[in-house]
mmCIF file of all heavy atoms in Angstrom:
data_model
loop_
_atom_site.group_PDB
_atom_site.id
_atom_site.type_symbol
_atom_site.label_atom_id
_atom_site.label_comp_id
_atom_site.label_asym_id
_atom_site.label_seq_id
_atom_site.Cartn_x
_atom_site.Cartn_y
_atom_site.Cartn_z
ATOM 1 N N GLN A 50 14.224 -26.351 149.788
ATOM 2 C CA GLN A 50 15.528 -26.408 150.443
ATOM 3 C C GLN A 50 16.077 -25.008 150.683
ATOM 4 O O GLN A 50 16.677 -24.736 151.733
ATOM 5 C CB GLN A 50 16.489 -27.238 149.594
ATOM 6 C CG GLN A 50 16.169 -28.719 149.579
ATOM 7 C CD GLN A 50 17.094 -29.503 148.662
ATOM 8 O OE1 GLN A 50 17.738 -28.943 147.770
ATOM 9 N NE2 GLN A 50 17.162 -30.808 148.867
ATOM 10 N N THR A 51 15.872 -24.113 149.717
ATOM 11 C CA THR A 51 16.338 -22.732 149.885
ATOM 12 C C THR A 51 15.603 -22.042 151.028
ATOM 13 O O THR A 51 16.209 -21.361 151.865
ATOM 14 C CB THR A 51 16.142 -21.952 148.577
ATOM 15 O OG1 THR A 51 16.859 -22.596 147.519
ATOM 16 C CG2 THR A 51 16.646 -20.520 148.725
ATOM 17 N N GLU A 52 14.261 -22.223 151.080
ATOM 18 C CA GLU A 52 13.473 -21.622 152.159
ATOM 19 C C GLU A 52 13.859 -22.206 153.516
ATOM 20 O O GLU A 52 13.913 -21.483 154.518
ATOM 21 C CB GLU A 52 11.987 -21.834 151.895
ATOM 22 C CG GLU A 52 11.465 -21.068 150.682
ATOM 23 C CD GLU A 52 10.006 -21.363 150.405
ATOM 24 O OE1 GLU A 52 9.464 -22.289 151.048
ATOM 25 O OE2 GLU A 52 9.406 -20.659 149.563
ATOM 26 N N LEU A 53 14.144 -23.509 153.560
ATOM 27 C CA LEU A 53 14.540 -24.135 154.815
ATOM 28 C C LEU A 53 15.881 -23.584 155.287
ATOM 29 O O LEU A 53 16.063 -23.313 156.486
ATOM 30 C CB LEU A 53 14.634 -25.655 154.631
ATOM 31 C CG LEU A 53 15.083 -26.457 155.852
ATOM 32 C CD1 LEU A 53 14.121 -26.251 157.010
ATOM 33 C CD2 LEU A 53 15.178 -27.939 155.518
ATOM 34 N N ALA A 54 16.816 -23.408 154.348
ATOM 35 C CA ALA A 54 18.120 -22.856 154.725
ATOM 36 C C ALA A 54 17.967 -21.428 155.252
ATOM 37 O O ALA A 54 18.609 -21.047 156.246
ATOM 38 C CB ALA A 54 19.068 -22.887 153.525
ATOM 39 N N THR A 55 17.100 -20.638 154.604
ATOM 40 C CA THR A 55 16.870 -19.262 155.064
ATOM 41 C C THR A 55 16.247 -19.256 156.459
ATOM 42 O O THR A 55 16.635 -18.465 157.326
ATOM 43 C CB THR A 55 15.948 -18.527 154.076
ATOM 44 O OG1 THR A 55 16.545 -18.528 152.775
ATOM 45 C CG2 THR A 55 15.728 -17.091 154.525
ATOM 46 N N THR A 56 15.279 -20.137 156.697
ATOM 47 C CA THR A 56 14.638 -20.219 158.012
ATOM 48 C C THR A 56 15.643 -20.615 159.083
ATOM 49 O O THR A 56 15.623 -20.083 160.203
ATOM 50 C CB THR A 56 13.487 -21.231 157.969
ATOM 51 O OG1 THR A 56 12.548 -20.827 156.968
ATOM 52 C CG2 THR A 56 12.773 -21.298 159.312
ATOM 53 N N ARG A 57 16.515 -21.555 158.773
ATOM 54 C CA ARG A 57 17.528 -21.969 159.736
ATOM 55 C C ARG A 57 18.487 -20.828 160.064
ATOM 56 O O ARG A 57 18.883 -20.650 161.223
ATOM 57 C CB ARG A 57 18.300 -23.164 159.183
ATOM 58 C CG ARG A 57 17.508 -24.471 159.198
ATOM 59 C CD ARG A 57 18.286 -25.590 158.554
ATOM 60 N NE ARG A 57 17.595 -26.863 158.662
ATOM 61 C CZ ARG A 57 17.991 -27.981 158.077
ATOM 62 N NH1 ARG A 57 19.091 -27.977 157.325
ATOM 63 N NH2 ARG A 57 17.295 -29.092 158.229
ATOM 64 N N GLU A 58 18.842 -20.037 159.042
ATOM 65 C CA GLU A 58 19.719 -18.891 159.294
ATOM 66 C C GLU A 58 19.041 -17.876 160.206
ATOM 67 O O GLU A 58 19.667 -17.333 161.128
ATOM 68 C CB GLU A 58 20.109 -18.253 157.965
ATOM 69 C CG GLU A 58 21.036 -19.112 157.104
ATOM 70 C CD GLU A 58 21.336 -18.460 155.781
ATOM 71 O OE1 GLU A 58 20.792 -17.360 155.534
ATOM 72 O OE2 GLU A 58 22.119 -19.035 154.998
ATOM 73 N N ARG A 59 17.742 -17.614 159.955
ATOM 74 C CA ARG A 59 17.022 -16.670 160.808
ATOM 75 C C ARG A 59 16.913 -17.190 162.235
ATOM 76 O O ARG A 59 17.070 -16.432 163.193
ATOM 77 C CB ARG A 59 15.632 -16.420 160.229
ATOM 78 C CG ARG A 59 15.635 -15.639 158.921
ATOM 79 C CD ARG A 59 14.230 -15.496 158.376
ATOM 80 N NE ARG A 59 14.204 -14.722 157.143
ATOM 81 C CZ ARG A 59 13.114 -14.522 156.406
ATOM 82 N NH1 ARG A 59 11.960 -15.030 156.801
ATOM 83 N NH2 ARG A 59 13.180 -13.813 155.293
ATOM 84 N N LEU A 60 16.619 -18.486 162.357
ATOM 85 C CA LEU A 60 16.499 -19.066 163.689
ATOM 86 C C LEU A 60 17.818 -18.969 164.448
ATOM 87 O O LEU A 60 17.845 -18.631 165.640
ATOM 88 C CB LEU A 60 16.061 -20.527 163.571
ATOM 89 C CG LEU A 60 15.914 -21.286 164.889
ATOM 90 C CD1 LEU A 60 14.877 -20.621 165.772
ATOM 91 C CD2 LEU A 60 15.536 -22.742 164.632
ATOM 92 N N ALA A 61 18.916 -19.261 163.755
ATOM 93 C CA ALA A 61 20.231 -19.157 164.402
ATOM 94 C C ALA A 61 20.522 -17.718 164.826
ATOM 95 O O ALA A 61 21.091 -17.470 165.899
ATOM 96 C CB ALA A 61 21.320 -19.663 163.457
ATOM 97 N N PHE A 62 20.077 -16.746 163.986
ATOM 98 C CA PHE A 62 20.295 -15.340 164.319
ATOM 99 C C PHE A 62 19.511 -14.950 165.569
ATOM 100 O O PHE A 62 20.044 -14.332 166.486
ATOM 101 C CB PHE A 62 19.877 -14.479 163.130
ATOM 102 C CG PHE A 62 19.910 -12.999 163.411
ATOM 103 C CD1 PHE A 62 21.119 -12.321 163.489
ATOM 104 C CD2 PHE A 62 18.737 -12.288 163.609
ATOM 105 C CE1 PHE A 62 21.147 -10.959 163.746
ATOM 106 C CE2 PHE A 62 18.761 -10.937 163.870
ATOM 107 C CZ PHE A 62 19.976 -10.265 163.935
ATOM 108 N N TYR A 63 18.230 -15.351 165.618
ATOM 109 C CA TYR A 63 17.407 -15.006 166.782
ATOM 110 C C TYR A 63 17.884 -15.727 168.044
ATOM 111 O O TYR A 63 17.841 -15.169 169.145
ATOM 112 C CB TYR A 63 15.947 -15.333 166.513
ATOM 113 C CG TYR A 63 15.302 -14.412 165.505
ATOM 114 C CD1 TYR A 63 14.596 -14.915 164.424
ATOM 115 C CD2 TYR A 63 15.408 -13.030 165.626
ATOM 116 C CE1 TYR A 63 14.018 -14.069 163.489
ATOM 117 C CE2 TYR A 63 14.838 -12.182 164.705
ATOM 118 C CZ TYR A 63 14.140 -12.703 163.643
ATOM 119 O OH TYR A 63 13.569 -11.864 162.725
ATOM 120 N N GLU A 64 18.335 -16.965 167.880
ATOM 121 C CA GLU A 64 18.862 -17.683 169.039
ATOM 122 C C GLU A 64 20.133 -17.035 169.564
ATOM 123 O O GLU A 64 20.420 -17.084 170.756
ATOM 124 C CB GLU A 64 19.119 -19.144 168.674
ATOM 125 C CG GLU A 64 17.840 -19.960 168.525
ATOM 126 C CD GLU A 64 18.120 -21.400 168.172
ATOM 127 O OE1 GLU A 64 19.280 -21.697 167.788
ATOM 128 O OE2 GLU A 64 17.202 -22.232 168.278
ATOM 129 N N GLN A 65 20.884 -16.417 168.637
ATOM 130 C CA GLN A 65 22.083 -15.707 169.075
ATOM 131 C C GLN A 65 21.714 -14.432 169.835
ATOM 132 O O GLN A 65 22.367 -14.063 170.811
ATOM 133 C CB GLN A 65 22.947 -15.357 167.855
ATOM 134 C CG GLN A 65 24.280 -14.704 168.217
ATOM 135 C CD GLN A 65 25.121 -14.426 166.990
ATOM 136 O OE1 GLN A 65 24.682 -14.635 165.865
ATOM 137 N NE2 GLN A 65 26.334 -13.960 167.198
ATOM 138 N N LEU A 66 20.647 -13.765 169.379
ATOM 139 C CA LEU A 66 20.194 -12.565 170.086
ATOM 140 C C LEU A 66 19.596 -12.909 171.439
ATOM 141 O O LEU A 66 19.777 -12.174 172.414
ATOM 142 C CB LEU A 66 19.154 -11.829 169.236
ATOM 143 C CG LEU A 66 19.642 -11.196 167.933
ATOM 144 C CD1 LEU A 66 18.481 -10.536 167.213
ATOM 145 C CD2 LEU A 66 20.749 -10.173 168.206
ATOM 146 N N LEU A 67 18.882 -14.024 171.499
ATOM 147 C CA LEU A 67 18.242 -14.469 172.735
ATOM 148 C C LEU A 67 18.770 -15.848 173.080
ATOM 149 O O LEU A 67 18.132 -16.859 172.798
ATOM 150 C CB LEU A 67 16.730 -14.496 172.573
ATOM 151 C CG LEU A 67 16.057 -13.155 172.293
ATOM 152 C CD1 LEU A 67 14.603 -13.367 171.932
ATOM 153 C CD2 LEU A 67 16.173 -12.240 173.502
ATOM 154 N N PRO A 68 19.960 -15.915 173.644
ATOM 155 C CA PRO A 68 20.547 -17.233 173.919
ATOM 156 C C PRO A 68 19.742 -18.000 174.958
ATOM 157 O O PRO A 68 19.120 -17.407 175.840
ATOM 158 C CB PRO A 68 21.934 -16.875 174.465
ATOM 159 C CG PRO A 68 21.798 -15.489 175.002
ATOM 160 C CD PRO A 68 20.789 -14.807 174.119
ATOM 161 N N PRO A 69 19.687 -19.319 174.819
ATOM 162 C CA PRO A 69 18.938 -20.122 175.790
ATOM 163 C C PRO A 69 19.562 -20.083 177.172
ATOM 164 O O PRO A 69 20.770 -19.939 177.326
ATOM 165 C CB PRO A 69 19.011 -21.531 175.191
ATOM 166 C CG PRO A 69 20.239 -21.516 174.346
ATOM 167 C CD PRO A 69 20.352 -20.132 173.799
ATOM 168 N N GLY A 70 18.715 -20.193 178.180
ATOM 169 C CA GLY A 70 19.199 -20.211 179.550
ATOM 170 C C GLY A 70 19.459 -21.622 180.018
ATOM 171 O O GLY A 70 19.483 -22.564 179.219
ATOM 172 N N PRO A 71 19.614 -21.812 181.303
ATOM 173 C CA PRO A 71 19.821 -23.161 181.842
ATOM 174 C C PRO A 71 18.631 -24.059 181.556
ATOM 175 O O PRO A 71 17.536 -23.588 181.244
ATOM 176 C CB PRO A 71 19.989 -22.901 183.352
ATOM 177 C CG PRO A 71 20.333 -21.455 183.466
ATOM 178 C CD PRO A 71 19.649 -20.764 182.325
ATOM 179 N N ALA A 72 18.847 -25.351 181.637
ATOM 180 C CA ALA A 72 17.774 -26.305 181.362
ATOM 181 C C ALA A 72 16.587 -26.042 182.277
ATOM 182 O O ALA A 72 16.742 -25.929 183.495
ATOM 183 C CB ALA A 72 18.290 -27.731 181.546
ATOM 184 N N GLY A 73 15.413 -25.911 181.682
ATOM 185 C CA GLY A 73 14.203 -25.673 182.455
ATOM 186 C C GLY A 73 13.930 -24.213 182.739
ATOM 187 O O GLY A 73 12.891 -23.893 183.312
ATOM 188 N N ALA A 74 14.830 -23.308 182.332
ATOM 189 C CA ALA A 74 14.636 -21.887 182.609
ATOM 190 C C ALA A 74 13.536 -21.323 181.722
ATOM 191 O O ALA A 74 13.411 -21.670 180.551
ATOM 192 C CB ALA A 74 15.935 -21.116 182.371
ATOM 193 N N VAL A 75 12.718 -20.438 182.276
ATOM 194 C CA VAL A 75 11.646 -19.788 181.544
ATOM 195 C C VAL A 75 12.110 -18.399 181.132
ATOM 196 O O VAL A 75 12.679 -17.657 181.934
ATOM 197 C CB VAL A 75 10.374 -19.690 182.402
ATOM 198 C CG1 VAL A 75 9.277 -18.938 181.658
ATOM 199 C CG2 VAL A 75 9.892 -21.080 182.793
#
């Protein structure tokens, strides 16, 4: 559970740095 929480925090951080584009965008 601790490792999963850490992974989720990292994923949220990277998603914030590289925000998703419009649906279907590459």
Side-chain angles (χ1 to χ4, degrees):
Q50 290 177 340
T51 302
E52 293 177 351
L53 178 60
T55 302
T56 302
R57 287 176 175 173
E58 291 177 358
R59 291 177 178 175
L60 179 60
F62 173 74
Y63 289 130
E64 287 180 346
Q65 184 178 5
L66 293 179
L67 297 171
V75 177

